[in-house]
Amino acid sequence: MTDLRPLTFTASPLDFSGLERADQAWIETQRLDDSAKVLLLHKGSLATDSAGDPFVVRAREADDLPIARPGLVFLGRWDSTPWFCAALEPGSVPDGLNFRVAAMRAEPDFACLMGRAASLLAWHGRRRFCSNCGHENRAGVGGLKLDCGSCGMEHFPRVDPSVIMLPFSGDRCVLGRQASWPPGMYATLAGFMEPGETIEEACARETREEIGRRVLHARYVASQPWPFPSSLMIGLMAEIDEGELFPDDDIEDAKWFTRPQVRELYEENNWAPKHFSISRLLIETWLAGEES
Ligand SMILES: [Zn+2]
C-alpha cells in the first residue's frame, strides 16, 4: 500500500449544511456569528494580507472591503465556525498567491476550503447572466444557487466529471505528456466524460482516442475534486492490450514504462508533491505492485 496523506481537496472538514442553508435567516445568523470568517480571493488567486498569508477576515469586517458580486458565498461550517468566501473587485488589491502553488503548500483542511471557494467563485464569475434568457441572475441559498428573475430558471454550481487513468499491461504502464507540460514530464491520461456514457465507457473511449489501445478491464480507485475550475477527477487503473501506441493530437507523446523507469522519472523530478494529484496516486498504486 502507499503511504500518501489524503489527496489535496479531499476529506473536507466542512459541513456544507445542505438542510439549513436554504433558509436566508439561518445564513444571516451564520454571517453575524462572532467567529464567522471569510476567505478572500482576487482574480482567481488567493488574496494575501500584509504578512503574505491567505487573506481571511471576520465576516463583519468584510462590509468594509471592495467585495465583488454576488457578495459573501457560504462555504459551510468547520467545527462551530461558519466560513464564507468572497471575491475582491479586480484591481482593488495587489495580485495574491497563485492558487495552484498555494494549494500545494496549504494544510489539507485549508486546501479543501480554498478549493471549494475557488470553484464557487469561478462559477459566479461565469454565470452573472441567465444562460436561458440573458437576464441577470440573483444569488440564493447563501450563494450556492442562482435564480433568474425573468424566466425562472434555477442555476446550480457546475461539477464536470473527468476520467483519469493509468493504462497498464503486464509489468509495464503507459504515460503520456502534453506539449504544455514541463520538459520531460509524463503522467496519466485524462479526459472529460461525455453525455450518455458510463465511467468505464469514458475510460475506454479516452484511452482508445489518446493512445489507440483497447481497455480490457477498468478498476475504480478514487476520486478528487479538482478546482481548475470545477472538475471531479475519477481515477481508474485500466488494463489494456499490449501493442504500439498511437498518440492523438491532444498529447505530444506516449510511451511504455517499466516500474524502474517510472521510479527513476519521479525520483529525478519534483513536478508536484505526491499528495497533490490523483495522477500521482494512480502511479504510486501501480508502483506498489497492486496491479499486474
Ligand atoms: Zn432566465
Side-chain angles (χ1 to χ4, degrees):
M1 289 296 294
T2 53
D3 58 353
L4 299 177
R5 81 181 207 190
L7 276 171
T8 304
F9 308 124
T10 70
S12 176
L14 288 168
D15 174 355
F16 296 167
S17 307
L19 296 176
E20 298 94 343
R21 70 193 185 203
D23 180 354
Q24 186 56 40
W26 186 86
I27 291 284
E28 187 61 9
T29 302
Q30 302 303 299
R31 188 181 72 83
L32 295 174
D33 188 302
D34 281 343
S35 69
K37 293 178 178 168
V38 184
L39 176 65
L40 294 164
L41 276 75
H42 174 240
K43 296 195 295 186
S45 295
L46 207 59
T48 51
D49 61 19
S50 56
D53 293 324
F55 198 177
V56 174
V57 296
R58 300 222 174 257
R60 290 168 190 262
E61 299 167 7
D63 292 342
D64 300 327
L65 295 171
I67 302 286
R69 57 164 301 282
L72 302 193
V73 174
F74 181 64
L75 291 173
R77 289 174 63 91
W78 182 355
D79 294 331
S80 59
T81 302
W83 276 83
F84 294 81
C85 64
L88 293 167
E89 287 287 357
S92 61
V93 294
D95 285 348
L97 292 170
N98 174 278
F99 179 78
R100 182 181 292 259
V101 173
M104 282 185 193
R105 295 174 180 166
E107 289 299 314
D109 284 346
F110 196 70
C112 290
L113 259 75
M114 290 170 53
R116 183 162 164 83
S119 282
L120 288 168
L121 294 175
W123 173 67
H124 277 290
R126 298 189 305 268
R127 290 291 184 279
R128 176 170 179 178
F129 298 101
C130 175
S131 55
N132 189 46
C133 75
H135 193 267
E136 189 156 17
N137 283 321
R138 191 178 55 232
V141 192
L144 292 154
K145 178 186 168 197
L146 288 166
D147 294 296
C148 175
S150 179
C151 73
M153 184 168 239
E154 299 174 310
H155 305 269
F156 294 93
R158 283 189 70 110
V159 177
D160 302 308
S162 303
V163 286
I164 180 165
M165 51 270 168
L166 181 63
F168 70 95
S169 180
D171 59 359
R172 294 193 302 167
C173 75
V174 174
L175 300 177
R177 65 167 276 106
Q178 295 179 12
S180 61
W181 290 357
M185 179 175 171
Y186 281 80
T188 49
L189 310 181
F192 286 108
M193 292 187 63
E194 294 196 5
E197 66 186 358
T198 64
I199 291 168
E200 293 81 1
E201 287 165 348
C203 172
R205 175 184 52 75
E206 283 288 342
T207 303
R208 190 171 61 247
E209 288 175 3
E210 293 200 351
I211 59 171
R213 303 310 316 168
R214 189 165 62 96
V215 172
L216 307 174
H217 175 72
R219 180 177 75 86
Y220 169 80
V221 176
S223 62
Q224 181 189 30
W226 192 240
F228 303 99
S230 53
S231 293
L232 174 67
M233 308 305 288
I234 302 167
L236 302 115
M237 307 297 299
E239 186 175 10
I240 61 172
D241 58 350
E242 285 266 5
E244 187 178 354
L245 303 175
F246 301 96
D248 77 349
D249 293 341
D250 285 352
I251 54 178
E252 183 182 69
D253 189 27
K255 291 196 291 201
W256 287 99
F257 289 81
T258 63
R259 283 189 173 87
Q261 287 171 331
V262 173
R263 284 196 190 96
E264 187 180 342
L265 184 71
Y266 277 86
E267 281 169 7
E268 289 181 357
N269 297 282
N270 186 25
W271 294 299
K274 275 188 183 180
H275 59 80
F276 189 61
S277 86
I278 194 169
S279 173
R280 189 65 182 273
L281 173 67
L282 296 173
I283 290 168
E284 294 291 332
T285 299
W286 182 75
L287 284 175
E290 294 172 21
E291 311 284 334
S292 63

